Amino acid sequence: MKNKFLYCRDAADDALLAPVDKLIAIQQTGDTQVTLHFEPRSNDAAEADTMRLTIGDEKEVAVMNAIVDAINYSREDVIVLCDKVNNDFIHEQVTDSSITLSNLAD
């Protein structure tokens, strides 16, 4: 199986391309948020890299299904979850994103 990556860009100078095989969980973290948790790049198991998607109210199941379907069935190597700069989203209910990276200083 070829490697796939999830792409998130929330500003002109803020983007993350994360390998799908490092995805740990997709979690609803609010009425209008879904967070993807990835294995941390640091050695601290308490930290995790995350992509947080802002979504329409109560649309978490539809957005989660779109992500899982893209991972399982897309022929693309890079799956765009949110590219706010180019107005490209995995689902019509995704409107924004933020990225949090684990601390690599350890």
Side-chain angles (χ1 to χ4, degrees), residues 15-91:
L16 177 64
L17 184 67
V20 167
D21 66 352
K22 300 296 182 186
L23 179 64
I24 298 170
I26 304 173
Q27 175 187 17
Q28 176 187 358
T29 50
D31 286 340
T32 60
Q33 290 184 338
V34 169
T35 302
L36 289 85
H37 300 270
F38 296 87
E39 291 178 15
R41 297 170 302 135
S42 70
N43 292 326
D44 186 350
E47 295 184 4
D49 297 338
T50 63
M51 292 179 184
R52 179 168 289 135
L53 304 177
T54 303
I55 62 172
D57 191 29
E58 304 297 328
K59 297 300 181 183
E60 63 278 348
V61 173
V63 171
M64 289 179 181
N65 281 336
I67 294 168
V68 171
D69 285 349
I71 290 169
N72 289 330
Y73 305 116
S74 175
R75 293 180 178 223
E76 301 296 324
D77 294 337
V78 176
I79 299 165
V80 177
L81 299 180
C82 178
D83 184 346
K84 190 166 181 187
V85 175
N86 293 307
N87 203 32
D88 187 8
F89 307 98
I90 192 163
H91 189 277

